[in-house]
């Protein structure tokens, strides 16, 4: 347990996302961490020190010039008597102060005085996050060694606006906190590069309609995260999904199979390729530039399809073929024999086969029951959460690469 016994100094700055910090405190404590809260003046406009203190079961520090607090612990000790400083939410203002070394309140002073790792979970309006000043500040902070989780894409609390700016969810922040602590541990895939595809592809019919499938991206995203956790430098090429980008992974968002192929080839060379995406086999031969309209009396249009590039096959036979090429096989019948044929045809080292018949609930669900098909045999894995399948697969990849 990465968080057990860890002392976390949690700085809450003033944004609407501060309400999520209450849940974050609970999640951190559930995992055995202790949380010592610090709130800026702005934060207290959104949540009360009473609620924060009750959930943290600790005194809430709010004032740089509190005589009592200074006598009891002192701000320099407060900054150092912890294992990690977590800022959630981190506002644009607090990031600007940090990047410039300002210390005009308790939070910014602690951040300047600490010698511990710092993890920031930014939350702000998308335009503020995209502003060149914030981009500069984030780059400076990264160069200074500050870790980041998020911001994530999505609807803003103020409504109407969408984009990057939403604070990561409490469990994502917990995972990122664990990852910071695990940073020092053994990383068998350090120095290795991996490419993972995930999610469905959308093949346009016209500007408003497309052909898609039921893939959620959960398995592919979990594999990208698991490889990154073992130290790999991961590029995740993702089709349109509604789940957040995994932590510590470079994500390239695409829509169509051809875009996915281009992004995968641009990421070569690599040591590992895991092609999990449910790529559409066909696309509409000539997608319409304008919305197809219904005209009374006219015949119903037929869609002429043409074949999409097979990304796994292209990578499996490429001159820059990664050392390990792994494919997935979504089957509804004859799972093993179909997957074996795919192994040969696509030039893969391994096919992870699953039965995606509707009764299994695998496609779009949270669990998976897979068979590993290799040139030297077949291995059935038990029914597992998609995250567990990902962790096992990442461990297997690390082991294989060690032997190659
Ligand atoms: N795949 C790919 N590009 C495609 C189609 C599939 O990279 N155009 C990859 C998938 O990411 C997966 C594997 O090939 O790793 C198998 O996908 P699947 O859809 O099961 O196989 P198909 O080649 O489409 O074969 P079939 O439709 O006959 O089952």
């Amino acid at each position: 347990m990465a968080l057990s016994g860890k002392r976390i100094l949690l700085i809450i700055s003033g944004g609407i996302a501060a309400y999520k910090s209450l849940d974050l405190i609970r999640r951190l404590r559930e995992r055995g961490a202790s949380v010592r809260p610090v709130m800026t003046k702005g934060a207290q406009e959104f949540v009360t020190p009473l609620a924060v203190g009750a959930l943290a079961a600790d005194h809430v520090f709010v004032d740089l010039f509190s005589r009592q607090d200074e006598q009891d612990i002192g701000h320099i000790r407060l900054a150092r008597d912890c294992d990690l400083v977590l800022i959630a939410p981190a506002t644009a203002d607090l990031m600007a102060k940090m990047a410039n070394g300002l210390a005009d309140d308790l939070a910014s002073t602690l951040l300047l005085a600490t010698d511990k790792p710092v993890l920031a979970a930014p939350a702000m309006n998308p335009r503020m996050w995209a502003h060149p000043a914030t981009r500069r500040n984030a780059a400076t902070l990264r160069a200074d060694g500050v870790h980041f989780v998020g911001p994530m894409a999505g609807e803003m609390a103020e409504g109407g606006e969408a984009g990057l700016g939403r604070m990561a969810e409490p469990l994502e922040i917990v995972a990122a906190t664990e990852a910071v602590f695990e940073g020092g541990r053994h990383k068998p895939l350090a120095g290795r590069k991996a490419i993972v595809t995930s999610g469905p592809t959308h093949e346009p019919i016209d500007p408003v309609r497309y052909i898609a499938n039921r893939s959620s991206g959960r398995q592919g995203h979990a594999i990208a995260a698991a490889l990154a956790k073992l130290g790999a430098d991961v590029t995740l090429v993702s089709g349109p999904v509604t789940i957040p980008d995994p932590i510590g992974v470079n994500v390239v968002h695409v829509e169509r199979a051809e875009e996915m192929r281009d992004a995968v080839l641009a990421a070569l060379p690599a040591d590992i390729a895991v092609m999990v995406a449910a790529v559409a086999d066909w696309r509409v031969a000539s997608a319409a530039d304008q919305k197809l309209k219904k005209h009374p009396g006219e015949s119903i249009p037929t869609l002429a399809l043409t074949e999409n590039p097979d990304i796994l096959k292209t990578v499996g036979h490429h001159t820059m073929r990664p050392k390990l090429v792994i494919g997935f096989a979504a089957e509804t019948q004859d799972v093993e024999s179909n997957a074996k044929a795919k192994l040969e045809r696509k030039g893969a080292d391994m096919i992870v086969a699953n039965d995606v018949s509707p009764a299994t609930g695998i496609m779009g669900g949270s669990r998976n029951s897979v068979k590993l098909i290799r040139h030297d045999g077949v291995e059935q894995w038990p029914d597992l959460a998609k995250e567990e399948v990902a962790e096992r697969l990442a461990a297997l990849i690390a082991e294989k690469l060690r032997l190659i």
Side-chain angles (χ1 to χ4, degrees):
M1 284 296 283
L3 292 184
S4 172
K6 295 289 190 231
R7 298 163 308 158
I8 293 172
L9 186 71
L10 173 66
I11 295 179
I12 306 176
S13 61
I16 182 64
Y19 79 92
K20 288 198 219 170
S21 307
L22 298 175
D23 190 36
L24 175 63
I25 295 171
R26 285 186 45 222
R27 303 295 183 176
L28 291 166
R29 294 192 64 212
E30 267 167 21
R31 285 159 179 76
S34 63
V35 178
R36 173 161 275 178
V38 174
M39 295 177 75
T40 64
K41 215 159 168 263
Q44 295 168 61
E45 300 288 336
F46 293 94
V47 288
T48 67
L50 194 65
V52 170
L55 285 165
D58 200 348
H59 178 68
V60 182
F61 294 82
V62 293
D63 190 2
L64 180 58
F65 301 111
S66 155
R67 243 192 300 152
Q68 190 63 50
D69 289 352
E70 277 304 297
Q71 222 164 34
D72 291 346
I73 172 159
H75 64 270
I76 299 296
R77 228 184 86 202
L78 190 59
R80 312 241 170 106
D81 263 7
C82 62
D83 300 302
L84 177 133
V85 182
L86 174 59
I87 318 164
T91 57
D93 178 63
L94 188 55
M95 283 175 57
K97 280 184 186 162
M98 284 169 81
N100 291 287
L102 295 186
D104 65 348
D105 65 357
L106 182 60
S108 52
T109 304
L110 294 174
L111 286 162
L112 199 58
T114 192
D115 57 356
K116 297 296 184 293
V118 176
L119 170 64
M124 64 196 73
N125 174 278
R127 278 182 196 257
M128 291 168 78
W129 176 253
H131 194 284
T134 310
R135 310 260 31 84
R136 267 198 311 275
N137 292 334
T140 303
L141 292 171
R142 275 204 185 91
D144 289 348
V146 172
H147 303 269
F148 280 90
V149 50
M152 303 300 180
E155 286 280 325
M156 295 296 114
E158 55 263 46
E161 268 188 82
L164 277 184
R166 186 173 62 78
M167 186 169 88
E169 294 303 318
L171 285 178
E172 291 167 333
I173 299 176
V174 166
T177 310
E178 285 173 341
V180 173
F181 283 123
E182 282 167 359
R185 285 224 211 121
H186 179 53
K187 301 274 183 189
L189 290 177
R192 302 288 196 175
K193 210 178 148 210
I195 308 172
V196 179
T197 65
S198 183
T201 61
H202 284 184
E203 306 298 334
I205 296 170
D206 67 16
V208 295
R209 304 181 178 95
Y210 55 82
I211 299 174
N213 60 65
R214 294 184 197 281
S215 169
S216 64
R218 289 167 89 154
Q219 186 63 81
H221 279 52
I223 290 169
L227 291 170
K229 226 170 159 184
L230 295 189
D233 171 8
V234 182
T235 297
L236 170 67
V237 183
S238 172
V241 293
T242 55
I243 57 174
D245 290 350
I247 291 145
V249 166
N250 316 307
V251 188
V252 183
H253 293 276
V254 297
E255 279 203 14
R256 297 179 292 111
E258 290 176 302
E259 289 170 351
M260 187 173 272
R261 179 218 32 216
D262 293 347
V264 165
L265 296 183
L268 288 173
D271 303 284
I272 308 154
V274 191
M275 306 283 98
V276 196
V279 184
D281 288 322
W282 305 282
R283 66 177 181 278
V284 177
S286 47
D289 291 339
Q290 305 293 334
K291 187 183 169 200
L292 298 177
K293 301 293 286 180
K294 235 178 0 207
H295 295 295
E298 276 187 18
S299 58
I300 295 169
T302 44
L303 292 177
L305 301 178
T306 185
E307 200 166 334
N308 260 335
D310 188 321
I311 304 167
L312 174 58
K313 196 168 162 191
T314 308
V315 170
H317 294 100
H318 202 278
T319 47
M320 282 194 277
R321 182 189 191 278
K323 293 185 192 78
L324 257 187
V325 176
I326 300 175
F328 269 64
E331 305 291 351
T332 54
Q333 56 191 352
D334 303 329
V335 177
E336 210 171 306
S337 57
N338 278 332
K340 270 194 178 137
K342 268 176 206 171
L343 188 66
E344 301 298 336
R345 192 168 75 235
K346 303 208 181 197
D349 298 295
M350 195 194 299
I351 292 280
V352 182
N354 47 27
D355 184 346
V356 291
S357 316
T360 63
I362 286 173
M363 202 98 170
S366 63
R367 300 186 72 77
N368 208 350
S369 167
V370 303
K371 267 194 179 120
L372 292 198
I373 319 279
R374 288 185 247 170
H375 291 284
D376 58 358
V378 177
E379 196 182 312
Q380 170 77 53
W381 282 4
D383 174 61
L384 297 166
K386 286 184 174 171
E387 289 75 16
E388 289 173 295
V389 170
E391 273 167 24
R392 279 191 179 209
L393 195 65
L396 190 74
I397 289 170
E399 181 58 21
K400 287 261 164 225
L401 277 185
R402 204 174 58 82
L403 301 173
I404 291 175

mmCIF file of all heavy atoms in Angstrom, residues 155-170:
data_model
loop_
_atom_site.group_PDB
_atom_site.id
_atom_site.type_symbol
_atom_site.label_atom_id
_atom_site.label_comp_id
_atom_site.label_asym_id
_atom_site.label_seq_id
_atom_site.Cartn_x
_atom_site.Cartn_y
_atom_site.Cartn_z
ATOM 1 N N GLU A 155 -17.149 19.111 -19.168
ATOM 2 C CA GLU A 155 -18.003 20.273 -18.914
ATOM 3 C C GLU A 155 -17.519 21.003 -17.668
ATOM 4 O O GLU A 155 -17.153 20.384 -16.680
ATOM 5 C CB GLU A 155 -19.439 19.793 -18.634
ATOM 6 C CG GLU A 155 -20.178 19.319 -19.864
ATOM 7 C CD GLU A 155 -20.736 20.464 -20.681
ATOM 8 O OE1 GLU A 155 -21.143 21.475 -20.073
ATOM 9 O OE2 GLU A 155 -20.737 20.356 -21.922
ATOM 10 N N MET A 156 -17.541 22.315 -17.713
ATOM 11 C CA MET A 156 -17.175 23.106 -16.542
ATOM 12 C C MET A 156 -18.394 23.311 -15.647
ATOM 13 O O MET A 156 -19.528 23.276 -16.132
ATOM 14 C CB MET A 156 -16.671 24.482 -16.984
ATOM 15 C CG MET A 156 -15.397 24.431 -17.763
ATOM 16 S SD MET A 156 -14.037 23.792 -16.768
ATOM 17 C CE MET A 156 -13.700 22.277 -17.610
ATOM 18 N N ALA A 157 -18.126 23.571 -14.364
ATOM 19 C CA ALA A 157 -19.232 23.783 -13.422
ATOM 20 C C ALA A 157 -20.092 24.972 -13.845
ATOM 21 O O ALA A 157 -21.301 24.964 -13.686
ATOM 22 C CB ALA A 157 -18.685 23.993 -12.029
ATOM 23 N N GLU A 158 -19.430 25.991 -14.417
ATOM 24 C CA GLU A 158 -20.197 27.189 -14.767
ATOM 25 C C GLU A 158 -21.126 26.954 -15.967
ATOM 26 O O GLU A 158 -21.935 27.791 -16.308
ATOM 27 C CB GLU A 158 -19.296 28.420 -14.991
ATOM 28 C CG GLU A 158 -18.193 28.279 -16.000
ATOM 29 C CD GLU A 158 -16.855 27.948 -15.349
ATOM 30 O OE1 GLU A 158 -16.802 27.069 -14.477
ATOM 31 O OE2 GLU A 158 -15.846 28.565 -15.730
ATOM 32 N N GLY A 159 -20.959 25.774 -16.616
ATOM 33 C CA GLY A 159 -21.890 25.378 -17.675
ATOM 34 C C GLY A 159 -21.560 26.022 -18.998
ATOM 35 O O GLY A 159 -20.976 27.103 -19.067
ATOM 36 N N GLY A 160 -21.955 25.334 -20.056
ATOM 37 C CA GLY A 160 -21.789 25.923 -21.381
ATOM 38 C C GLY A 160 -20.396 25.751 -21.954
ATOM 39 O O GLY A 160 -20.252 25.528 -23.133
ATOM 40 N N GLU A 161 -19.371 25.841 -21.113
ATOM 41 C CA GLU A 161 -18.018 25.752 -21.647
ATOM 42 C C GLU A 161 -17.444 24.371 -21.410
ATOM 43 O O GLU A 161 -17.584 23.807 -20.329
ATOM 44 C CB GLU A 161 -17.128 26.784 -20.969
ATOM 45 C CG GLU A 161 -17.097 28.092 -21.729
ATOM 46 C CD GLU A 161 -16.081 29.046 -21.162
ATOM 47 O OE1 GLU A 161 -14.902 28.917 -21.495
ATOM 48 O OE2 GLU A 161 -16.480 29.918 -20.378
ATOM 49 N N ALA A 162 -16.777 23.859 -22.440
ATOM 50 C CA ALA A 162 -16.128 22.565 -22.278
ATOM 51 C C ALA A 162 -14.681 22.699 -22.715
ATOM 52 O O ALA A 162 -14.313 23.651 -23.394
ATOM 53 C CB ALA A 162 -16.844 21.508 -23.108
ATOM 54 N N GLY A 163 -13.846 21.770 -22.291
ATOM 55 C CA GLY A 163 -12.443 21.806 -22.679
ATOM 56 C C GLY A 163 -11.604 21.342 -21.518
ATOM 57 O O GLY A 163 -12.133 20.838 -20.518
ATOM 58 N N LEU A 164 -10.269 21.517 -21.619
ATOM 59 C CA LEU A 164 -9.374 21.085 -20.550
ATOM 60 C C LEU A 164 -9.440 22.089 -19.406
ATOM 61 O O LEU A 164 -9.245 23.281 -19.628
ATOM 62 C CB LEU A 164 -7.942 21.030 -21.056
ATOM 63 C CG LEU A 164 -7.502 19.773 -21.797
ATOM 64 C CD1 LEU A 164 -6.026 19.878 -22.139
ATOM 65 C CD2 LEU A 164 -7.742 18.531 -20.955
ATOM 66 N N GLY A 165 -9.695 21.623 -18.215
ATOM 67 C CA GLY A 165 -9.758 22.545 -17.085
ATOM 68 C C GLY A 165 -10.387 21.931 -15.855
ATOM 69 O O GLY A 165 -10.166 22.401 -14.747
ATOM 70 N N ARG A 166 -11.147 20.866 -16.044
ATOM 71 C CA ARG A 166 -11.825 20.223 -14.910
ATOM 72 C C ARG A 166 -10.795 19.512 -14.025
ATOM 73 O O ARG A 166 -9.880 18.869 -14.539
ATOM 74 C CB ARG A 166 -12.812 19.191 -15.474
ATOM 75 C CG ARG A 166 -13.704 18.531 -14.473
ATOM 76 C CD ARG A 166 -14.741 17.673 -15.191
ATOM 77 N NE ARG A 166 -14.155 16.598 -15.975
ATOM 78 C CZ ARG A 166 -13.700 15.455 -15.466
ATOM 79 N NH1 ARG A 166 -13.755 15.226 -14.170
ATOM 80 N NH2 ARG A 166 -13.181 14.533 -16.243
ATOM 81 N N MET A 167 -10.946 19.635 -12.719
ATOM 82 C CA MET A 167 -10.000 18.951 -11.829
ATOM 83 C C MET A 167 -10.170 17.442 -11.980
ATOM 84 O O MET A 167 -11.275 16.943 -12.141
ATOM 85 C CB MET A 167 -10.219 19.352 -10.367
ATOM 86 C CG MET A 167 -9.142 18.769 -9.445
ATOM 87 S SD MET A 167 -9.155 19.466 -7.781
ATOM 88 C CE MET A 167 -10.322 18.397 -6.950
ATOM 89 N N ALA A 168 -9.053 16.703 -11.883
ATOM 90 C CA ALA A 168 -9.111 15.239 -11.909
ATOM 91 C C ALA A 168 -10.018 14.769 -10.774
ATOM 92 O O ALA A 168 -10.162 15.452 -9.759
ATOM 93 C CB ALA A 168 -7.708 14.672 -11.738
ATOM 94 N N GLU A 169 -10.631 13.620 -10.949
ATOM 95 C CA GLU A 169 -11.515 13.077 -9.914
ATOM 96 C C GLU A 169 -10.670 12.604 -8.730
ATOM 97 O O GLU A 169 -9.501 12.243 -8.890
ATOM 98 C CB GLU A 169 -12.316 11.892 -10.476
ATOM 99 C CG GLU A 169 -13.295 12.272 -11.566
ATOM 100 C CD GLU A 169 -14.302 13.332 -11.112
ATOM 101 O OE1 GLU A 169 -14.798 13.238 -9.974
ATOM 102 O OE2 GLU A 169 -14.575 14.260 -11.887
ATOM 103 N N PRO A 170 -11.259 12.588 -7.518
ATOM 104 C CA PRO A 170 -10.495 12.185 -6.329
ATOM 105 C C PRO A 170 -9.702 10.890 -6.520
ATOM 106 O O PRO A 170 -8.524 10.831 -6.147
ATOM 107 C CB PRO A 170 -11.573 12.041 -5.261
ATOM 108 C CG PRO A 170 -12.595 13.059 -5.653
ATOM 109 C CD PRO A 170 -12.611 13.059 -7.149
#
